[in-house]
Amino acid sequence: MATPPWTRRHILSLEDFSVPEYDTVLRTAASFREVLSRRTKKVPTLQGRVVTNLFFEPSTRTRSSFELAAKRLSADTLNFAAGTSSLTKGETILDTAKTYLAMGTDMMVIRHSQAGVPQAIAREMERLGTHVGVLNAGDGLHEHPSQALLDLFTICSQLDCDNPRTELLQGKKVAIVGDILHSRVARSNIWSLTTSGAQVHLAAPPTLLPQRFIEAMGVYHPDRLHLHWHLDEALEGADFVMTLRLQRERMTAHLLPSLREYQQFFGITRDRLKHCQPEVKLLHPGPTNRGVELSSDVMDDPELSLIQAQVTSGVAVRMALLYLMGGRHD
Amino acid sequence: MATPPWTRRHILSLEDFSVPEYDTVLRTAASFREVLSRRTKKVPTLQGRVVTNLFFEPSTRTRSSFELAAKRLSADTLNFAAGTSSLTKGETILDTAKTYLAMGTDMMVIRHSQAGVPQAIAREMERLGTHVGVLNAGDGLHEHPSQALLDLFTICSQLDCDNPRTELLQGKKVAIVGDILHSRVARSNIWSLTTSGAQVHLAAPPTLLPQRFIEAMGVYHPDRLHLHWHLDEALEGADFVMTLRLQRERMTAHLLPSLREYQQFFGITRDRLKHCQPEVKLLHPGPTNRGVELSSDVMDDPELSLIQAQVTSGVAVRMALLYLMGGRHD
Amino acid sequence: MATPPWTRRHILSLEDFSVPEYDTVLRTAASFREVLSRRTKKVPTLQGRVVTNLFFEPSTRTRSSFELAAKRLSADTLNFAAGTSSLTKGETILDTAKTYLAMGTDMMVIRHSQAGVPQAIAREMERLGTHVGVLNAGDGLHEHPSQALLDLFTICSQLDCDNPRTELLQGKKVAIVGDILHSRVARSNIWSLTTSGAQVHLAAPPTLLPQRFIEAMGVYHPDRLHLHWHLDEALEGADFVMTLRLQRERMTAHLLPSLREYQQFFGITRDRLKHCQPEVKLLHPGPTNRGVELSSDVMDDPELSLIQAQVTSGVAVRMALLYLMGGRHD
């Protein structure tokens, strides 16, 4: 099968990603995973190019993953972290982005606690006639595309390590458990998994998963998306169980009675996994609250948990994304 | 015209910079701008050398600019940021500098909220018989030489992009508007612009521009420096208008009644620019308070604003400065 | 003398270091010091490898030293700093370490305010069957091996710059002065110096050096370790005087009456050094409280102080340690 050429300058949302695009990402990431298995894990692809991490919301894990991906492509990296920054001096976000543009940034990786910021910066970069690519590394409750793409890569690699591809997801059941309503990871995963052909079963307490969620989300394949307010229904026959991080702030907002009660009804334990396929695998975007979303023993069981594989996939997938975005203008 | 060899180990102040030195900086920066226009924006000039950013006062913009300049010269960079540092453990500033010296630092880029700190560190480096070069990246209310040099480069490049040089400033009028009294950027620019031959017109409320400013400053060409307490006089026939950042702290110090009143009397708007030359251009060292120092529409007008060009010039000029300082001992 | 091959994957404590191991570190560091004296101070030894600094306790000096050592071996570096990190989100320390492992870290440099954390991470890395090496960059009050090794290198280089080796320490007297009880630097130095053959004399007020210290420490050569509650006894005939940083917190804990009194009884002054050998040299791990542990004049006397030499040694010794750990699997 011939690959269509990559046409996206920005990666902002998975809402309009096509199956061939997912397959291009999976294939490219697989080739970078091969690079990462070598002793010298670098390629000169982005030598002399500048990747700027604009993290208006603090993050160590995701920023490190992008920084390492950029360094392994031989790019120079700049890190902007809110806090000690000009933002506290009254500069607007667009002005900050334009400053890094003017310094010579080729690609921007952007995280912000407000939905829409990476999109607004991408529009501004277009309006100014630049070739800068923008990658959304998490915007508010909206999307986190690179996380969902690394989840997709992890799942497909589990099904066929040498040739991860979307068609492997046909007939597979993926349960997504936790605070769906407030999760940008869940939103991006719902787009990628339903488009790729999986059956997606969401499980959460009603306060975190309202009845109208599916309509409001507007997925193109509503027949592939299912809601459950009881965990066991969602787990029934699942091939993959994706747990979401529980923000402790939800408790104070009275959306949950207590961590203990959440753990009792929605925490994944070995006992609960009996409902799933025998080969079931667990995912979590991290950082985990041990013993809340997942019991410690299932989290540490290498036969069950793909959590470490997700982190490793993250570097390969982010290399692939920067490569595809950066290669557009060759 | 043959260039005199570069003799400065440190760049601490523009007070005693000569016209040939300004021209050397402009010519060197122009050649690095050419490097930055290439796809691979790196040169091996400082390979294996260590540039340490000692920022005792927080800064994202200037530090990123120096860091990128150093990386593009292939230097290794170390970043020291006050806050999580040994300073909170009672170590003196000179001892911190000596520690980075002993690690193998070749050049130090220093910012401090107190005037004179880079000079004190440079003296200590000399006293110890080292070859380390010190660059003042902003010391209190005193000077910010690399900012004024990038402003000079931006202005001269606007007048002749291929061959920016000081003689282009003969007969040109530059207005500097804002909190002159508290601005290290203004001080450095007054030195560079008057020495280079421009007519410099300062405009500010009397609380921010005392009558005695010119004498106190002691410029060598007082005939090229003019004071105005009304903006329109300063703008009359101006070729370039340089606005300064207004520190919000000035309000609480009762030097200004309100941001609104400042904006009304000293904010640059399209209407006010009618007094200037038709080709007038605007500069601002950033970060800007949109709608205070400049109205948003003039700030975003590419026919008027050189603000983005200043940031781009910044990387080329800082590469030039590190190159000139580092090349002394070849 | 043939060198035994290096067998340690981790460097966690000096308790079980052998004399041949110390000599291997000294010889390797001497060869890297030669590299650092060149204009281009880089070697390609760790190209494509990733060294992650996991500093759960803030540090600028030690982190910069390790970062520079890694960069000069051409490794890529990642920096994790507690504070803006996932730790505040409830992730465990082992999970953080495993995340950086999964990203592709080859070596971890770990500092933590609790004793035993680097050891626990090293055990976990072993349990998981990885080849990752862990270096203890300071764990609570326990050990700080790289500091003691750079002290050893500094002392032995002082005795024979071209060929630093442990046998030079035979018959030498090293006084360690200050807050012995709370010093991980002192503990590591006691191991390295007594094993290497020096006579070590500890001096501190009784509250900071209990009678039972030697037994509790359990050194293999108790005949080489001596306690003093009066400084002059410890200094008598000393070849080297190692001063320790005084934590200001000790005052509030009522272990010391005041800085002034400490300085009076245990501060090193030129006058006090008359008790020592004429060629006596001073060391301090930094950062120093000027005028407390050491008077300013002795600290700044290049004939007396090895403090700057220690910092320079630090980069060479840390390059040697990363090289030895990383070379195990070649």
Side-chain angles (χ1 to χ4, degrees):
Chain A
M1 185 188 74
T3 314
W6 189 260
T7 58
R8 286 179 194 273
R9 178 175 292 157
H10 312 296
I11 296 176
L12 300 169
S13 157
L14 299 183
E15 181 170 346
D16 60 350
F17 257 58
S18 67
V19 170
E21 286 181 305
Y22 287 120
D23 280 316
T24 300
V25 171
L26 294 174
R27 203 175 313 114
T28 312
S31 75
F32 281 117
R33 181 172 50 196
E34 191 274 319
V35 170
L36 294 181
S37 69
R38 297 181 205 158
R39 189 174 172 82
T40 297
K41 309 180 186 81
K42 279 186 112 136
V43 289
T45 316
L46 296 183
Q47 192 133 38
R49 306 297 221 37
V50 177
V51 176
T52 298
N53 292 314
L54 283 171
F55 275 58
F56 298 98
E57 185 184 88
S59 161
T60 304
R61 169 192 294 263
T62 307
R63 191 187 49 64
S64 289
S65 181
F66 273 109
E67 195 178 337
L68 195 56
K71 284 180 172 173
R72 285 175 165 180
L73 294 167
S74 302
D76 285 323
T77 56
L78 285 180
N79 285 308
F80 167 93
T84 55
S85 82
S86 300
L87 283 187
T88 58
K89 300 182 186 171
E91 191 179 49
T92 69
I93 290 168
L94 286 184
D95 286 340
T96 300
K98 281 192 277 187
T99 297
Y100 281 90
L101 165 69
M103 282 187 203
T105 294
D106 296 288
M107 281 181 267
M108 294 187 187
V109 177
I110 298 174
R111 170 169 287 194
H112 199 285
S113 58
Q114 297 284 322
V117 167
Q119 295 79 352
I121 292 175
R123 274 196 304 275
E124 183 69 6
M125 294 296 127
E126 296 286 336
R127 195 184 67 76
L128 296 169
T130 78
H131 292 291
V132 167
V134 174
L135 198 156
N136 177 3
D139 66 319
L141 304 182
H142 179 233
E143 285 223 38
H144 190 352
S146 66
Q147 178 69 42
L149 292 170
L150 75 86
D151 291 338
L152 187 71
F153 181 67
T154 307
I155 289 174
C156 293
S157 294
Q158 180 64 26
L159 295 170
D160 183 351
C161 186
D162 291 333
N163 187 13
R165 58 200 189 280
T166 54
E167 66 174 37
L168 299 163
L169 289 175
Q170 296 299 327
K172 295 295 175 188
K173 176 172 175 179
V174 181
I176 305 181
V177 179
D179 182 1
I180 310 282
L181 186 63
H182 300 93
S183 172
R184 55 195 179 204
V185 174
R187 269 178 185 66
S188 288
N189 265 299
I190 289 169
W191 289 115
S192 59
L193 293 170
T194 57
T195 298
S196 297
Q199 291 294 325
V200 177
H201 290 254
L202 310 175
T207 48
L208 300 178
L209 182 56
Q211 181 72 62
R212 292 185 59 258
F213 185 84
I214 291 182
E215 303 148 52
M217 181 99 188
V219 290
Y220 306 122
H221 301 281
D223 54 305
R224 297 180 188 162
L225 192 57
H226 314 272
L227 262 68
H228 304 279
W229 292 339
H230 292 97
L231 179 57
D232 293 349
E233 295 169 25
L235 296 186
E236 191 64 46
D239 299 282
F240 295 94
V241 178
M242 190 177 282
T243 51
L244 300 172
R245 181 174 164 72
L246 191 71
Q247 310 287 340
R248 282 151 194 276
E249 305 88 89
R250 304 296 169 238
M251 256 49 72
T252 49
H254 303 299
L255 294 170
L256 281 177
S258 72
L259 275 186
R260 187 187 175 82
E261 189 163 322
Y262 175 85
Q263 189 274 328
Q264 197 181 336
F265 289 104
F266 288 93
I268 301 293
T269 59
R270 194 173 293 274
D271 192 51
R272 280 241 166 75
L273 292 174
K274 286 183 204 146
H275 301 277
C276 306
Q277 293 289 339
E279 300 287 285
V280 66
K281 301 291 173 192
L282 299 174
L283 295 96
H284 190 295
T288 44
N289 296 299
R290 270 187 178 263
V292 179
E293 301 102 329
L294 292 160
S295 66
S296 261
D297 67 315
V298 302
M299 195 174 152
D300 292 336
D301 184 341
E303 292 297 305
L304 281 174
S305 167
L306 294 177
I307 296 176
Q308 299 304 306
Q310 286 173 281
V311 177
T312 304
S313 298
V315 180
V317 166
R318 283 163 180 139
M319 286 176 80
L321 299 179
L322 294 174
Y323 168 84
L324 290 168
M325 292 164 66
R328 270 188 75 252
H329 317 293
D330 282 73
Chain B
M1 184 188 74
T3 313
W6 189 260
T7 57
R8 286 179 194 273
R9 178 175 291 157
H10 313 296
I11 296 175
L12 300 169
S13 158
L14 299 184
E15 181 170 347
D16 61 350
F17 257 59
S18 67
V19 171
E21 287 180 305
Y22 287 121
D23 279 316
T24 299
V25 171
L26 294 173
R27 202 175 314 114
T28 311
S31 75
F32 281 117
R33 181 171 52 196
E34 191 274 319
V35 170
L36 294 181
S37 69
R38 298 180 204 159
R39 189 173 172 82
T40 297
K41 310 180 185 82
K42 278 186 111 133
V43 290
T45 316
L46 296 183
Q47 191 133 40
R49 306 296 217 46
V50 177
V51 176
T52 297
N53 292 314
L54 283 171
F55 275 60
F56 298 98
E57 185 184 87
S59 161
T60 304
R61 168 191 295 262
T62 307
R63 191 187 48 65
S64 288
S65 180
F66 273 110
E67 195 178 336
L68 196 54
K71 284 180 173 173
R72 285 176 164 179
L73 295 167
S74 301
D76 286 321
T77 55
L78 286 181
N79 285 306
F80 167 93
T84 56
S85 81
S86 299
L87 283 187
T88 58
K89 299 182 186 171
E91 191 180 50
T92 70
I93 290 168
L94 286 185
D95 286 340
T96 300
K98 280 192 276 186
T99 297
Y100 280 90
L101 164 69
M103 282 187 204
T105 294
D106 296 289
M107 279 181 268
M108 294 187 187
V109 177
I110 298 173
R111 170 169 287 194
H112 199 283
S113 58
Q114 297 284 324
V117 167
Q119 294 78 352
I121 292 175
R123 274 195 304 274
E124 182 70 6
M125 293 297 126
E126 296 286 336
R127 194 184 67 76
L128 295 169
T130 78
H131 293 291
V132 167
V134 174
L135 198 155
N136 176 3
D139 66 319
L141 304 182
H142 177 232
E143 285 224 38
H144 190 352
S146 66
Q147 177 68 43
L149 291 169
L150 74 87
D151 291 338
L152 187 72
F153 182 67
T154 307
I155 288 174
C156 293
S157 295
Q158 179 63 26
L159 296 170
D160 182 351
C161 186
D162 290 334
N163 187 12
R165 57 200 188 281
T166 54
E167 67 174 37
L168 299 163
L169 288 176
Q170 296 299 328
K172 295 296 174 188
K173 175 171 175 180
V174 182
I176 304 181
V177 179
D179 183 1
I180 310 282
L181 186 63
H182 300 93
S183 173
R184 56 194 177 203
V185 174
R187 269 179 184 65
S188 288
N189 265 297
I190 289 170
W191 288 116
S192 59
L193 292 170
T194 56
T195 298
S196 297
Q199 291 294 325
V200 178
H201 290 255
L202 310 176
T207 47
L208 300 179
L209 182 55
Q211 182 70 62
R212 292 187 58 259
F213 185 85
I214 291 182
E215 304 149 51
M217 181 95 188
V219 290
Y220 306 121
H221 302 279
D223 55 304
R224 298 180 188 162
L225 192 57
H226 314 272
L227 262 66
H228 305 279
W229 292 338
H230 292 98
L231 179 58
D232 293 349
E233 296 170 22
L235 297 185
E236 192 64 45
D239 299 281
F240 295 92
V241 178
M242 191 177 283
T243 51
L244 300 173
R245 180 174 165 72
L246 192 71
Q247 310 286 341
R248 283 152 191 274
E249 306 87 89
R250 302 297 169 239
M251 256 49 71
T252 48
H254 303 297
L255 294 170
L256 282 175
S258 72
L259 275 186
R260 188 187 175 83
E261 191 164 321
Y262 175 85
Q263 189 276 326
Q264 198 181 335
F265 289 105
F266 288 92
I268 301 294
T269 59
R270 194 171 294 272
D271 192 52
R272 280 239 166 76
L273 292 175
K274 286 183 206 145
H275 300 279
C276 306
Q277 292 290 339
E279 298 288 285
V280 66
K281 301 292 173 193
L282 299 173
L283 295 95
H284 190 294
T288 45
N289 296 299
R290 271 187 177 262
V292 179
E293 301 101 328
L294 293 159
S295 67
S296 262
D297 67 315
V298 303
M299 194 174 153
D300 291 335
D301 185 340
E303 292 297 305
L304 281 174
S305 167
L306 294 177
I307 296 176
Q308 299 305 306
Q310 287 174 281
V311 177
T312 305
S313 296
V315 180
V317 166
R318 284 164 179 138
M319 286 175 80
L321 299 179
L322 294 175
Y323 167 83
L324 290 168
M325 291 164 68
R328 271 189 74 252
H329 317 292
D330 281 75
Chain C
M1 185 188 73
T3 314
W6 189 260
T7 57
R8 286 180 194 272
R9 178 175 292 157
H10 312 295
I11 296 176
L12 299 169
S13 158
L14 299 184
E15 181 169 348
D16 61 349
F17 258 58
S18 67
V19 170
E21 286 180 306
Y22 287 121
D23 279 316
T24 299
V25 171
L26 293 174
R27 203 175 312 115
T28 311
S31 74
F32 282 117
R33 181 171 52 196
E34 190 274 320
V35 170
L36 294 180
S37 69
R38 298 182 204 158
R39 188 172 173 82
T40 297
K41 310 180 186 81
K42 278 185 111 134
V43 289
T45 317
L46 295 183
Q47 192 133 38
R49 307 296 219 40
V50 178
V51 176
T52 298
N53 293 313
L54 283 171
F55 275 58
F56 298 98
E57 186 184 88
S59 160
T60 304
R61 170 191 293 264
T62 307
R63 191 187 49 65
S64 288
S65 180
F66 273 110
E67 197 177 337
L68 195 55
K71 284 180 172 173
R72 285 176 163 179
L73 294 167
S74 301
D76 286 321
T77 55
L78 285 180
N79 285 307
F80 167 94
T84 56
S85 82
S86 300
L87 283 188
T88 58
K89 300 181 185 171
E91 192 180 48
T92 69
I93 290 168
L94 285 185
D95 286 340
T96 300
K98 281 193 276 186
T99 297
Y100 281 90
L101 164 70
M103 283 187 204
T105 294
D106 296 289
M107 279 180 269
M108 294 186 188
V109 177
I110 298 173
R111 171 170 287 194
H112 199 285
S113 58
Q114 297 284 323
V117 167
Q119 295 78 353
I121 293 175
R123 273 195 305 275
E124 182 70 5
M125 294 297 127
E126 296 285 337
R127 195 185 65 78
L128 295 168
T130 78
H131 292 292
V132 167
V134 174
L135 197 155
N136 177 3
D139 66 320
L141 304 181
H142 178 232
E143 285 224 37
H144 190 352
S146 66
Q147 177 68 44
L149 292 169
L150 75 87
D151 291 338
L152 187 71
F153 181 67
T154 307
I155 288 174
C156 293
S157 295
Q158 179 63 27
L159 296 170
D160 182 351
C161 187
D162 291 333
N163 187 13
R165 58 200 188 282
T166 53
E167 66 173 38
L168 299 163
L169 288 176
Q170 296 299 328
K172 296 295 174 189
K173 175 171 175 180
V174 182
I176 305 180
V177 179
D179 183 1
I180 309 281
L181 186 63
H182 300 94
S183 173
R184 56 194 178 203
V185 174
R187 269 179 184 65
S188 288
N189 265 298
I190 289 169
W191 289 115
S192 59
L193 292 170
T194 56
T195 298
S196 297
Q199 290 295 324
V200 178
H201 290 254
L202 310 176
T207 48
L208 300 178
L209 182 56
Q211 182 70 63
R212 291 186 60 258
F213 185 85
I214 291 182
E215 303 149 52
M217 181 96 187
V219 290
Y220 305 122
H221 302 280
D223 53 305
R224 298 180 187 161
L225 191 57
H226 314 272
L227 263 66
H228 305 279
W229 293 338
H230 292 97
L231 179 58
D232 293 350
E233 295 170 24
L235 296 186
E236 192 62 47
D239 298 282
F240 296 93
V241 178
M242 191 177 283
T243 51
L244 300 173
R245 180 172 164 72
L246 191 70
Q247 310 287 339
R248 282 152 192 275
E249 305 88 90
R250 304 297 169 238
M251 256 48 73
T252 49
H254 303 298
L255 294 170
L256 282 177
S258 72
L259 275 187
R260 188 188 174 83
E261 190 163 323
Y262 176 85
Q263 189 275 328
Q264 198 179 336
F265 289 104
F266 288 92
I268 301 293
T269 58
R270 195 173 293 275
D271 192 52
R272 280 241 167 75
L273 292 174
K274 286 183 204 145
H275 301 277
C276 306
Q277 293 290 338
E279 298 287 286
V280 67
K281 301 291 173 192
L282 300 174
L283 295 96
H284 190 294
T288 44
N289 296 299
R290 271 187 177 264
V292 180
E293 301 101 329
L294 292 160
S295 66
S296 262
D297 67 314
V298 302
M299 194 173 153
D300 291 336
D301 184 339
E303 293 297 305
L304 281 174
S305 167
L306 294 177
I307 296 176
Q308 299 304 306
Q310 286 174 281
V311 177
T312 305
S313 297
V315 180
V317 166
R318 283 163 180 138
M319 287 176 80
L321 299 180
L322 294 174
Y323 168 82
L324 290 169
M325 291 164 67
R328 270 189 75 252
H329 317 291
D330 280 75

